[in-house]
Amino acid sequence: MSEGVQTPSAFTPRVFSGIQPSGNLHLGNYLGALKRFADSQDSGIQSIFCMVDMHAITVWQDPTDLRRATRELAAGFIASGVDPERSILFNQSQVSSHAELAWIFNCVARMGWMKRMTQWKDKAGKNQENASLGLFAYPALMAADILVYHATHVPVGEDQKQHLELTRDIAIKFNNDFGVEFFPVPEPVIEGSATRVMSLRDGAKKMSKSDASDASRINLTDDADTIARKIRKAKTDPEALPSEVKGLEDRPEARNLVNIYAALNDQSVDQVLADVGGRQFSEFKPMLADLAVAQLSPITVEMARLMGDVSEIDRILARGAERAREITGPIMKQTYEIVGMVRG
Ligand code: AMP
Ligand code: TRP
């Protein structure tokens, strides 16, 4: 598809990423996304983070739950270190450019591209006829989220790689169709040892907010005792930990716990194994539980504090949306001109 195409160097580096406010923010979201967002902001690149409420409603959301999840996600971002002053933090529906550009991209993207998306196939399942049209068009809205800021870098977990490739294809096709170099071809940033955190109950399944078993994931709202209990009960094998990475092959549950440890402790997997190689899980699990509690408890506490003042969260999001519109306004204006829309 779009392999080998370089981001046009004319574009200033800019980071964009989004998370759906659909409840149950978990350790996978923290390590695969939130923690890395804070790191990207700290590296000094302009960073824009969005609660994608319009993506969330591609499957049914109870309105009261959606409102709560949006605010809780905002609290999660801030508690994880995203500073709403240095970064731009807002919810998607407050910036109408996302929907406007998504419509144009619906007319650029091809049905065949969308049909190949594994997330569409997974979520629509056997009953595609009854899935929402929005679920099918989801990746065009995601491309719009990114490209309406001319973002060049998109930190995400492994599961979003295919959507990012589609975003690149849409940018390339738009530029070709209209004979312009208008949209950058953004790079996915999928880095670190926790781009795919697995379920604590099954090393073959991704940790997910939709897993029926609460024991499969660590929620960012879990208290210290719950975190420790879930780690104690996590599925493992009877072997001791190896001292080298190749000793983790074919041991998905062991690999997952070591990956989580490494990501929480800002270490490589090699470094972790150099320290813990030879130990039994009966020894390693309490170490992991202590580390997880130490890293996550302050976030849980801060989220709860922030959720105590919802009007402050709403004010932060409104201000973020205002700053976002300052960027998207001129880009949308030029897009309409390129496409040939008459705008008085
Ligand atoms: P979602 O909650 O599906 O909207 O995902 C939000 C962000 O978290 C995206 O960047 C995902 O790639 C990331 N993410 C979700 N689940 C995991 C997981 N199990 N491991 C690593 N990253 C994840
Ligand atoms: N599809 C992403 C997910 O489910 C969320 C998302 C929407 C996103 N728009 C985005 C991620 C733009 C990165 C950039 O995780």
Side-chain angles (χ1 to χ4, degrees), residues 78-341:
I78 299 167
S80 302
V82 171
D83 174 352
E85 295 299 321
R86 279 192 291 153
S87 296
I88 298 181
L89 185 68
F90 67 102
N91 57 312
Q92 191 182 28
S93 59
Q94 291 206 62
V95 181
S96 55
S97 312
H98 291 242
E100 292 178 45
L101 186 58
W103 181 259
I104 293 175
F105 286 170
N106 281 341
C107 303
V108 172
R110 306 288 95 179
M111 296 282 285
W113 299 2
M114 299 299 183
K115 280 188 188 158
R116 282 197 288 275
M117 294 294 111
T118 51
Q119 183 172 302
W120 157 251
K121 289 190 255 181
D122 289 350
K123 283 203 177 174
K126 291 198 173 58
N127 201 2
Q128 293 193 352
E129 295 296 310
N130 202 33
S132 76
L133 188 54
L135 188 65
F136 188 67
Y138 181 113
L141 176 59
M142 178 160 164
D145 295 340
I146 297 164
L147 296 172
V148 81
Y149 296 92
H150 280 184
T152 56
H153 294 85
V154 186
V156 278
E158 183 70 37
D159 58 346
Q160 294 303 310
K161 198 170 170 195
Q162 196 187 30
H163 284 158
L164 259 299
E165 271 160 19
L166 189 91
T167 300
R168 292 165 60 91
D169 290 335
I170 289 179
I172 292 166
K173 185 165 189 299
F174 181 98
N175 289 346
N176 282 343
D177 286 353
F178 294 99
V180 290
E181 275 285 298
F182 185 62
F183 288 116
V185 180
E187 298 288 342
V189 185
I190 303 173
E191 283 168 358
S193 54
T195 54
R196 194 167 160 82
V197 176
M198 308 309 282
S199 155
L200 298 179
R201 308 299 307 161
D202 178 353
K205 266 184 17 195
K206 192 177 78 153
M207 184 177 286
S208 152
K209 63 180 96 180
S210 55
D211 197 312
S213 160
D214 193 58
S216 71
R217 64 181 161 260
I218 293 175
N219 301 304
L220 288 191
T221 47
D222 285 343
D223 61 23
D225 287 347
T226 310
I227 295 175
R229 180 167 40 80
K230 286 179 177 174
I231 291 178
R232 222 171 31 242
K233 291 204 171 148
K235 188 173 166 205
T236 46
D237 56 42
E239 309 289 316
L241 282 159
S243 45
E244 286 180 14
V245 181
K246 64 175 179 337
L248 288 173
E249 273 167 28
D250 301 323
R251 297 178 66 188
E253 284 85 12
R255 166 102 224 188
N256 189 38
L257 295 187
V258 173
N259 281 350
I260 293 173
Y261 190 98
L264 282 171
N265 218 20
D266 283 322
Q267 283 182 302
S268 69
V269 169
D270 288 315
Q271 284 170 327
V272 174
L273 291 179
D275 291 342
V276 303
R279 297 192 199 209
Q280 299 291 333
F281 278 102
S282 54
E283 216 179 325
F284 179 64
K285 278 182 170 178
M287 289 171 66
L288 177 59
D290 285 350
L291 176 63
V293 167
Q295 300 282 332
L296 300 179
S297 286
I299 297 174
T300 313
V301 169
E302 179 63 2
M303 276 174 73
R305 190 190 69 77
L306 290 162
M307 283 299 280
D309 187 358
V310 167
S311 60
E312 173 63 8
I313 293 181
D314 291 0
R315 197 193 57 74
I316 289 171
L317 295 182
R319 171 78 189 120
E322 205 177 296
R323 290 167 64 207
R325 285 192 291 265
E326 283 166 19
I327 302 175
T328 66
I331 291 178
M332 267 329 284
K333 186 164 184 287
Q334 290 178 71
T335 306
Y336 282 130
E337 258 160 43
I338 291 169
V339 174
M341 306 292 197

